[in-house]
Amino acid sequence: MNNLIISNLYYKKKFSKINIHFARFMVNFSDDVDLDVFLAAALVSRAAENGDICIDLHDHAEKIILEKENGHDALICPKIDRWSRKLLMSPVAGRPGQKRPLILDAQNRLYLYRNWEYENILVELIKKRVNDTVTDVDITRLTQSITKQFPEDDGKSINWQKIAAVTALLKKICIITGGPGTGKTFTITKILALLTEQAAGSKLKICLAAPTGKAAARLQESIRQTSHKLNCGDRIKDAIPTDVKTIHRMLRPKPESPFFHYDRENKLPADIVIIDEASMVDLALMSKLVQAVPMSSRLVLIGDKDQLASVEAGSVLGDICDRSNLHGFSDDFCKRVFEITQDNLEAAIREPRPKPGLQDCIVVLLTSHRFTADSGIGSLSREVNRGNAHGAFMMLKDTADKTIVWHEMGAARDFFNILAKKIIEGYSEYLKEADPLSAFARLNRFRILCALRVGPFGATSINKLAEQVLYQHGLIQLGGNSANPWYKGRPILITRNDYGLGLFNGDIGVTLPDPDSKLYVFFSAGHGELKRYAIHRLPEHETVFAMTVHKSQGSEFDEVVLILPDKDYPVLTRELVYTGLTRTKKTFSIWANPSVFNNTIKRTVSRTSGLRDGLWG
């Protein structure tokens, strides 16, 4: 191995230390060190760090990794035929089904073995569910239940919540996707009522879960608030479960291990498994989850396919839904739905109707009950989703609509001065509250969202700015040093799960004194109740006047301020802006440079995987 080349790779920061270490480890298995194998291993390691499931060798073949300089020849990836041949001749790479560290499939996608296995199993099990037939549905009872739960139909348009509920009853797997305010969680409650009525007095084993503690708490509260609105008897309402766990807690992690108690060999004891905020679930967790669900059970996934992908590897919900394409239901499914609801899906979808398949298991909720079709926020979110940067920019520049506001990122001094005023305006009422419940209500009226965590426009810097501004205006009293960051009114975000305390990544708490002036942190316990913790008992946490868009998923605020950095970065995508935009219920403003905004809206999350092809190819 030419160590000078390896050093040059590291020096140029094309690869991280762990990428280099992994690639060296791979080539050490061969008698003859091969730079082509080294490059492939380094690239697939880097891809995994960036959230990709695999790399497509076609995207890298014959591309320059390092330009010629300092006496070194340019480093260029080989031609595709040579590269794939070299890999398959090495002891570290094999074809699907072989046990090798690297797997190269027929389309020249190269995987780390664990990622290939997660993806392959997930494809296999989803297809099996799609092709399996639900035989225990009482169609007469279901028709009666549907009529009661969805009596408000005008007969002119399809109620997609109703179609989603029917699909969840008829299919072993159902995916319900839609933007904010389309009634995803309310649909969950109606599905639970329909399933309970189908059981006809038998006790159903229902598992409800979400990726984070915050998302789990929100689903739990939503079910409790909406179940009393159902058009059914008290027996059915009382039987609807409200206990929602995180996915990890539901599957029960094994200590000091990436494995769970419930897995492919030891299935969850459940008749129905419902997962909310599924867009946040990465490939590894989704694969382990689906493996743990019995084939006899129904699996329902709910989420917004257009939101940001998971923090970890994969864009699973988007791939399952084939995000950029619309698929019509099959003729068979349309006929079955018409039998139950009298809804003519064939007329509504106006798409070619292929044979039965995954498309029959996916329902997109189209009507937002939060934003009207002509509202500024609703219209802007559609333009962002379409990638129409010019249209989105013109909407933001139109001062007639006060619900969406554009701020151009000019001089740093001007930005920070204006943002300081916004911070005081947004948080002063919250910081005057002494009652924890009132403080929570005030805190959730306003939030600053950042595209990045670090840098002058990142969440960490904006939180420091917020504390300085609020301190200068006498709204908070800082502890004076980093060893004592606590003060009355400090909002915090939990960043690590603590199952013993019942605090989870994403939970937000407010810091307030007791009658003896001792500070405690209060968290919502649902039902309008709170739980209180001493400061020293808390798991890892951070201040949260500002938070990243990723951390905001699953949250809602009356007003949102989104800050994009003054320079372009690959992580800036239309999905990030869409996710930040749709966190608000009333008003949205964005700070951005026009060129950065334009590039952001034109760029999509692109995570390489074979999941979409495996399911739809």
Side-chain angles (χ1 to χ4, degrees), residues 13 16 22 68 93 146 171 198 203 241 246 270 296 302 313 325 343 347 356 367 428-429 444 474 480 489 533 596 611:
K13 298 182 180 178
S16 69
F22 176 75
K68 182 177 180 178
I146 286 290
K171 295 293 183 179
Q198 281 287 309
K203 178 74 173 176
T246 63
S296 58
I302 301 101
N325 294 304
D343 286 307
T367 304
S428 60
E429 292 301 317
N444 285 330
Y533 296 88
V596 171
L611 181 59

PDB file of all heavy atoms in Angstrom, residues 13 16 22 68 93 146 171 198 203 241 246 270 296 302 313 325 343 347 356 367 428-429 444 474 480 489 533 596 611:
ATOM      1  N   LYS A  13      -8.871  15.398   3.498  1.00  0.00           N
ATOM      2  CA  LYS A  13     -10.149  15.268   4.205  1.00  0.00           C
ATOM      3  C   LYS A  13     -11.251  14.699   3.301  1.00  0.00           C
ATOM      4  O   LYS A  13     -12.429  15.025   3.445  1.00  0.00           O
ATOM      5  CB  LYS A  13     -10.596  16.597   4.801  1.00  0.00           C
ATOM      6  CG  LYS A  13      -9.631  17.134   5.841  1.00  0.00           C
ATOM      7  CD  LYS A  13     -10.129  18.429   6.462  1.00  0.00           C
ATOM      8  CE  LYS A  13      -9.140  18.944   7.492  1.00  0.00           C
ATOM      9  NZ  LYS A  13      -9.567  20.219   8.092  1.00  0.00           N
ATOM     10  N   SER A  16     -12.742  10.287   6.520  1.00  0.00           N
ATOM     11  CA  SER A  16     -12.464  10.422   7.948  1.00  0.00           C
ATOM     12  C   SER A  16     -11.462   9.362   8.384  1.00  0.00           C
ATOM     13  O   SER A  16     -11.166   8.417   7.636  1.00  0.00           O
ATOM     14  CB  SER A  16     -13.760  10.263   8.751  1.00  0.00           C
ATOM     15  OG  SER A  16     -14.225   8.925   8.681  1.00  0.00           O
ATOM     16  N   PHE A  22     -11.069   1.594   8.310  1.00  0.00           N
ATOM     17  CA  PHE A  22     -11.880   0.496   7.796  1.00  0.00           C
ATOM     18  C   PHE A  22     -11.324  -0.013   6.462  1.00  0.00           C
ATOM     19  O   PHE A  22     -11.223  -1.220   6.231  1.00  0.00           O
ATOM     20  CB  PHE A  22     -13.331   0.950   7.623  1.00  0.00           C
ATOM     21  CG  PHE A  22     -14.218  -0.082   7.001  1.00  0.00           C
ATOM     22  CD1 PHE A  22     -14.656  -1.176   7.722  1.00  0.00           C
ATOM     23  CD2 PHE A  22     -14.621   0.030   5.662  1.00  0.00           C
ATOM     24  CE1 PHE A  22     -15.478  -2.147   7.149  1.00  0.00           C
ATOM     25  CE2 PHE A  22     -15.433  -0.924   5.082  1.00  0.00           C
ATOM     26  CZ  PHE A  22     -15.863  -2.016   5.829  1.00  0.00           C
ATOM     27  N   LYS A  68      -4.043  15.812  -9.242  1.00  0.00           N
ATOM     28  CA  LYS A  68      -2.590  15.650  -9.261  1.00  0.00           C
ATOM     29  C   LYS A  68      -1.940  16.841  -8.565  1.00  0.00           C
ATOM     30  O   LYS A  68      -2.230  17.999  -8.884  1.00  0.00           O
ATOM     31  CB  LYS A  68      -2.093  15.559 -10.704  1.00  0.00           C
ATOM     32  CG  LYS A  68      -0.595  15.344 -10.833  1.00  0.00           C
ATOM     33  CD  LYS A  68      -0.198  15.203 -12.298  1.00  0.00           C
ATOM     34  CE  LYS A  68       1.312  14.977 -12.410  1.00  0.00           C
ATOM     35  NZ  LYS A  68       1.716  14.792 -13.830  1.00  0.00           N
ATOM     36  N   ALA A  93     -15.399  -8.998  -0.451  1.00  0.00           N
ATOM     37  CA  ALA A  93     -16.656  -8.628  -1.109  1.00  0.00           C
ATOM     38  C   ALA A  93     -17.303  -9.856  -1.743  1.00  0.00           C
ATOM     39  O   ALA A  93     -16.623 -10.733  -2.267  1.00  0.00           O
ATOM     40  CB  ALA A  93     -16.411  -7.560  -2.173  1.00  0.00           C
ATOM     41  N   ILE A 146     -67.816   1.981   9.584  1.00  0.00           N
ATOM     42  CA  ILE A 146     -67.326   3.073   8.746  1.00  0.00           C
ATOM     43  C   ILE A 146     -68.388   4.157   8.601  1.00  0.00           C
ATOM     44  O   ILE A 146     -68.104   5.363   8.675  1.00  0.00           O
ATOM     45  CB  ILE A 146     -66.912   2.540   7.344  1.00  0.00           C
ATOM     46  CG1 ILE A 146     -65.593   1.771   7.441  1.00  0.00           C
ATOM     47  CG2 ILE A 146     -66.812   3.671   6.332  1.00  0.00           C
ATOM     48  CD1 ILE A 146     -64.385   2.635   7.718  1.00  0.00           C
ATOM     49  N   LYS A 171     -55.524  -4.746   5.173  1.00  0.00           N
ATOM     50  CA  LYS A 171     -54.162  -5.105   4.802  1.00  0.00           C
ATOM     51  C   LYS A 171     -53.312  -5.479   6.023  1.00  0.00           C
ATOM     52  O   LYS A 171     -53.505  -4.953   7.122  1.00  0.00           O
ATOM     53  CB  LYS A 171     -53.500  -3.937   4.062  1.00  0.00           C
ATOM     54  CG  LYS A 171     -54.148  -3.610   2.726  1.00  0.00           C
ATOM     55  CD  LYS A 171     -53.942  -4.735   1.729  1.00  0.00           C
ATOM     56  CE  LYS A 171     -54.516  -4.434   0.364  1.00  0.00           C
ATOM     57  NZ  LYS A 171     -54.288  -5.531  -0.597  1.00  0.00           N
ATOM     58  N   GLN A 198     -64.457  -4.706  15.459  1.00  0.00           N
ATOM     59  CA  GLN A 198     -64.280  -5.969  14.755  1.00  0.00           C
ATOM     60  C   GLN A 198     -64.050  -7.127  15.720  1.00  0.00           C
ATOM     61  O   GLN A 198     -64.477  -8.259  15.475  1.00  0.00           O
ATOM     62  CB  GLN A 198     -63.091  -5.878  13.789  1.00  0.00           C
ATOM     63  CG  GLN A 198     -63.380  -5.178  12.487  1.00  0.00           C
ATOM     64  CD  GLN A 198     -64.235  -6.015  11.549  1.00  0.00           C
ATOM     65  OE1 GLN A 198     -63.945  -7.174  11.269  1.00  0.00           O
ATOM     66  NE2 GLN A 198     -65.323  -5.426  11.058  1.00  0.00           N
ATOM     67  N   LYS A 203     -60.452  -9.389  23.582  1.00  0.00           N
ATOM     68  CA  LYS A 203     -59.416  -8.453  23.991  1.00  0.00           C
ATOM     69  C   LYS A 203     -58.298  -8.445  22.960  1.00  0.00           C
ATOM     70  O   LYS A 203     -57.636  -9.451  22.724  1.00  0.00           O
ATOM     71  CB  LYS A 203     -58.855  -8.870  25.355  1.00  0.00           C
ATOM     72  CG  LYS A 203     -57.732  -7.998  25.879  1.00  0.00           C
ATOM     73  CD  LYS A 203     -58.236  -6.661  26.377  1.00  0.00           C
ATOM     74  CE  LYS A 203     -57.118  -5.884  27.063  1.00  0.00           C
ATOM     75  NZ  LYS A 203     -57.538  -4.542  27.473  1.00  0.00           N
ATOM     76  N   PRO A 241     -56.753   1.639  23.580  1.00  0.00           N
ATOM     77  CA  PRO A 241     -55.559   1.841  24.409  1.00  0.00           C
ATOM     78  C   PRO A 241     -54.990   3.243  24.237  1.00  0.00           C
ATOM     79  O   PRO A 241     -55.115   3.861  23.177  1.00  0.00           O
ATOM     80  CB  PRO A 241     -54.580   0.793  23.877  1.00  0.00           C
ATOM     81  CG  PRO A 241     -54.985   0.601  22.453  1.00  0.00           C
ATOM     82  CD  PRO A 241     -56.485   0.777  22.417  1.00  0.00           C
ATOM     83  N   THR A 246     -41.946   4.371  23.287  1.00  0.00           N
ATOM     84  CA  THR A 246     -40.982   4.535  22.209  1.00  0.00           C
ATOM     85  C   THR A 246     -40.783   3.159  21.567  1.00  0.00           C
ATOM     86  O   THR A 246     -41.028   2.122  22.193  1.00  0.00           O
ATOM     87  CB  THR A 246     -39.631   5.055  22.715  1.00  0.00           C
ATOM     88  OG1 THR A 246     -39.055   4.092  23.605  1.00  0.00           O
ATOM     89  CG2 THR A 246     -39.787   6.396  23.430  1.00  0.00           C
ATOM     90  N   ALA A 270     -48.619  -9.154  19.943  1.00  0.00           N
ATOM     91  CA  ALA A 270     -49.493  -8.079  19.465  1.00  0.00           C
ATOM     92  C   ALA A 270     -50.354  -8.544  18.314  1.00  0.00           C
ATOM     93  O   ALA A 270     -49.920  -9.320  17.459  1.00  0.00           O
ATOM     94  CB  ALA A 270     -48.651  -6.871  19.025  1.00  0.00           C
ATOM     95  N   SER A 296     -49.080 -12.647  11.518  1.00  0.00           N
ATOM     96  CA  SER A 296     -50.531 -12.680  11.723  1.00  0.00           C
ATOM     97  C   SER A 296     -51.081 -11.324  12.158  1.00  0.00           C
ATOM     98  O   SER A 296     -52.293 -11.125  12.174  1.00  0.00           O
ATOM     99  CB  SER A 296     -50.875 -13.734  12.784  1.00  0.00           C
ATOM    100  OG  SER A 296     -50.207 -13.432  14.006  1.00  0.00           O
ATOM    101  N   ILE A 302     -47.398   5.445  10.150  1.00  0.00           N
ATOM    102  CA  ILE A 302     -47.956   6.767   9.889  1.00  0.00           C
ATOM    103  C   ILE A 302     -46.841   7.795   9.912  1.00  0.00           C
ATOM    104  O   ILE A 302     -45.985   7.780  10.808  1.00  0.00           O
ATOM    105  CB  ILE A 302     -49.027   7.148  10.942  1.00  0.00           C
ATOM    106  CG1 ILE A 302     -50.171   6.134  10.937  1.00  0.00           C
ATOM    107  CG2 ILE A 302     -49.588   8.536  10.679  1.00  0.00           C
ATOM    108  CD1 ILE A 302     -50.104   5.144  12.049  1.00  0.00           C
ATOM    109  N   ALA A 313     -29.018   6.152   9.199  1.00  0.00           N
ATOM    110  CA  ALA A 313     -28.992   5.784   7.783  1.00  0.00           C
ATOM    111  C   ALA A 313     -30.372   5.484   7.206  1.00  0.00           C
ATOM    112  O   ALA A 313     -31.199   4.837   7.831  1.00  0.00           O
ATOM    113  CB  ALA A 313     -28.072   4.578   7.581  1.00  0.00           C
ATOM    114  N   ASN A 325     -43.199   9.564  -6.842  1.00  0.00           N
ATOM    115  CA  ASN A 325     -44.148   9.015  -7.818  1.00  0.00           C
ATOM    116  C   ASN A 325     -45.517   8.751  -7.189  1.00  0.00           C
ATOM    117  O   ASN A 325     -45.607   8.466  -5.994  1.00  0.00           O
ATOM    118  CB  ASN A 325     -43.608   7.700  -8.404  1.00  0.00           C
ATOM    119  CG  ASN A 325     -42.357   7.915  -9.230  1.00  0.00           C
ATOM    120  OD1 ASN A 325     -42.353   8.697 -10.173  1.00  0.00           O
ATOM    121  ND2 ASN A 325     -41.276   7.240  -8.872  1.00  0.00           N
ATOM    122  N   ASP A 343     -67.353   4.389  -2.247  1.00  0.00           N
ATOM    123  CA  ASP A 343     -66.470   5.404  -2.838  1.00  0.00           C
ATOM    124  C   ASP A 343     -65.838   4.863  -4.111  1.00  0.00           C
ATOM    125  O   ASP A 343     -65.256   3.765  -4.109  1.00  0.00           O
ATOM    126  CB  ASP A 343     -65.363   5.807  -1.856  1.00  0.00           C
ATOM    127  CG  ASP A 343     -65.872   6.689  -0.739  1.00  0.00           C
ATOM    128  OD1 ASP A 343     -66.508   7.705  -1.055  1.00  0.00           O
ATOM    129  OD2 ASP A 343     -65.640   6.358   0.441  1.00  0.00           O
ATOM    130  N   ALA A 347     -62.394   6.685 -10.162  1.00  0.00           N
ATOM    131  CA  ALA A 347     -62.638   8.021 -10.701  1.00  0.00           C
ATOM    132  C   ALA A 347     -61.762   9.066 -10.017  1.00  0.00           C
ATOM    133  O   ALA A 347     -61.366  10.057 -10.616  1.00  0.00           O
ATOM    134  CB  ALA A 347     -64.112   8.388 -10.542  1.00  0.00           C
ATOM    135  N   PRO A 356     -52.556  -5.904  -8.085  1.00  0.00           N
ATOM    136  CA  PRO A 356     -52.438  -5.658  -6.646  1.00  0.00           C
ATOM    137  C   PRO A 356     -50.982  -5.663  -6.203  1.00  0.00           C
ATOM    138  O   PRO A 356     -50.161  -6.433  -6.691  1.00  0.00           O
ATOM    139  CB  PRO A 356     -53.211  -6.833  -6.035  1.00  0.00           C
ATOM    140  CG  PRO A 356     -54.191  -7.226  -7.083  1.00  0.00           C
ATOM    141  CD  PRO A 356     -53.493  -6.993  -8.397  1.00  0.00           C
ATOM    142  N   THR A 367     -56.102  16.497   2.466  1.00  0.00           N
ATOM    143  CA  THR A 367     -56.772  17.712   2.947  1.00  0.00           C
ATOM    144  C   THR A 367     -56.205  18.147   4.292  1.00  0.00           C
ATOM    145  O   THR A 367     -56.270  17.410   5.281  1.00  0.00           O
ATOM    146  CB  THR A 367     -58.289  17.480   3.086  1.00  0.00           C
ATOM    147  OG1 THR A 367     -58.807  17.029   1.843  1.00  0.00           O
ATOM    148  CG2 THR A 367     -58.986  18.765   3.510  1.00  0.00           C
ATOM    149  N   SER A 428     -40.397  36.848  26.219  1.00  0.00           N
ATOM    150  CA  SER A 428     -40.568  37.646  27.440  1.00  0.00           C
ATOM    151  C   SER A 428     -41.782  37.208  28.254  1.00  0.00           C
ATOM    152  O   SER A 428     -41.706  37.108  29.491  1.00  0.00           O
ATOM    153  CB  SER A 428     -40.662  39.137  27.085  1.00  0.00           C
ATOM    154  OG  SER A 428     -41.767  39.372  26.230  1.00  0.00           O
ATOM    155  N   GLU A 429     -42.908  36.929  27.585  1.00  0.00           N
ATOM    156  CA  GLU A 429     -44.101  36.514  28.324  1.00  0.00           C
ATOM    157  C   GLU A 429     -43.881  35.156  28.991  1.00  0.00           C
ATOM    158  O   GLU A 429     -44.314  34.940  30.136  1.00  0.00           O
ATOM    159  CB  GLU A 429     -45.307  36.462  27.382  1.00  0.00           C
ATOM    160  CG  GLU A 429     -45.753  37.821  26.862  1.00  0.00           C
ATOM    161  CD  GLU A 429     -46.138  38.766  27.993  1.00  0.00           C
ATOM    162  OE1 GLU A 429     -46.825  38.317  28.942  1.00  0.00           O
ATOM    163  OE2 GLU A 429     -45.745  39.940  27.944  1.00  0.00           O
ATOM    164  N   ASN A 444     -44.424  27.179  24.026  1.00  0.00           N
ATOM    165  CA  ASN A 444     -44.740  26.533  22.751  1.00  0.00           C
ATOM    166  C   ASN A 444     -45.384  27.470  21.738  1.00  0.00           C
ATOM    167  O   ASN A 444     -45.771  27.038  20.646  1.00  0.00           O
ATOM    168  CB  ASN A 444     -45.636  25.322  22.983  1.00  0.00           C
ATOM    169  CG  ASN A 444     -44.869  24.148  23.556  1.00  0.00           C
ATOM    170  OD1 ASN A 444     -43.681  23.986  23.299  1.00  0.00           O
ATOM    171  ND2 ASN A 444     -45.540  23.336  24.359  1.00  0.00           N
ATOM    172  N   GLY A 474     -32.848  41.818  31.640  1.00  0.00           N
ATOM    173  CA  GLY A 474     -33.340  41.473  32.969  1.00  0.00           C
ATOM    174  C   GLY A 474     -34.389  40.390  33.009  1.00  0.00           C
ATOM    175  O   GLY A 474     -35.094  40.236  34.010  1.00  0.00           O
ATOM    176  N   GLY A 480     -23.560  32.616  35.880  1.00  0.00           N
ATOM    177  CA  GLY A 480     -22.260  33.278  35.951  1.00  0.00           C
ATOM    178  C   GLY A 480     -21.103  32.458  35.456  1.00  0.00           C
ATOM    179  O   GLY A 480     -20.045  32.995  35.157  1.00  0.00           O
ATOM    180  N   GLY A 489     -36.521  29.790  34.446  1.00  0.00           N
ATOM    181  CA  GLY A 489     -37.002  29.963  33.086  1.00  0.00           C
ATOM    182  C   GLY A 489     -36.189  29.256  32.029  1.00  0.00           C
ATOM    183  O   GLY A 489     -36.563  29.263  30.852  1.00  0.00           O
ATOM    184  N   TYR A 533     -38.472  17.136  38.323  1.00  0.00           N
ATOM    185  CA  TYR A 533     -37.197  16.473  38.560  1.00  0.00           C
ATOM    186  C   TYR A 533     -36.194  17.464  39.140  1.00  0.00           C
ATOM    187  O   TYR A 533     -36.127  18.632  38.725  1.00  0.00           O
ATOM    188  CB  TYR A 533     -36.607  15.918  37.258  1.00  0.00           C
ATOM    189  CG  TYR A 533     -37.454  14.833  36.634  1.00  0.00           C
ATOM    190  CD1 TYR A 533     -38.479  15.159  35.745  1.00  0.00           C
ATOM    191  CD2 TYR A 533     -37.239  13.498  36.930  1.00  0.00           C
ATOM    192  CE1 TYR A 533     -39.258  14.173  35.162  1.00  0.00           C
ATOM    193  CE2 TYR A 533     -38.019  12.493  36.361  1.00  0.00           C
ATOM    194  CZ  TYR A 533     -39.026  12.841  35.481  1.00  0.00           C
ATOM    195  OH  TYR A 533     -39.794  11.864  34.914  1.00  0.00           O
ATOM    196  N   VAL A 596     -28.664  31.097  -1.308  1.00  0.00           N
ATOM    197  CA  VAL A 596     -28.676  29.907  -0.453  1.00  0.00           C
ATOM    198  C   VAL A 596     -30.074  29.305  -0.422  1.00  0.00           C
ATOM    199  O   VAL A 596     -30.250  28.085  -0.527  1.00  0.00           O
ATOM    200  CB  VAL A 596     -28.193  30.251   0.974  1.00  0.00           C
ATOM    201  CG1 VAL A 596     -28.418  29.072   1.918  1.00  0.00           C
ATOM    202  CG2 VAL A 596     -26.719  30.646   0.962  1.00  0.00           C
ATOM    203  N   LEU A 611     -33.671   0.057  -1.384  1.00  0.00           N
ATOM    204  CA  LEU A 611     -34.981  -0.252  -0.806  1.00  0.00           C
ATOM    205  C   LEU A 611     -36.110   0.061  -1.783  1.00  0.00           C
ATOM    206  O   LEU A 611     -37.016  -0.761  -1.979  1.00  0.00           O
ATOM    207  CB  LEU A 611     -35.172   0.515   0.508  1.00  0.00           C
ATOM    208  CG  LEU A 611     -36.488   0.292   1.249  1.00  0.00           C
ATOM    209  CD1 LEU A 611     -36.679  -1.176   1.599  1.00  0.00           C
ATOM    210  CD2 LEU A 611     -36.541   1.155   2.511  1.00  0.00           C
TER     211      LEU A 611
END
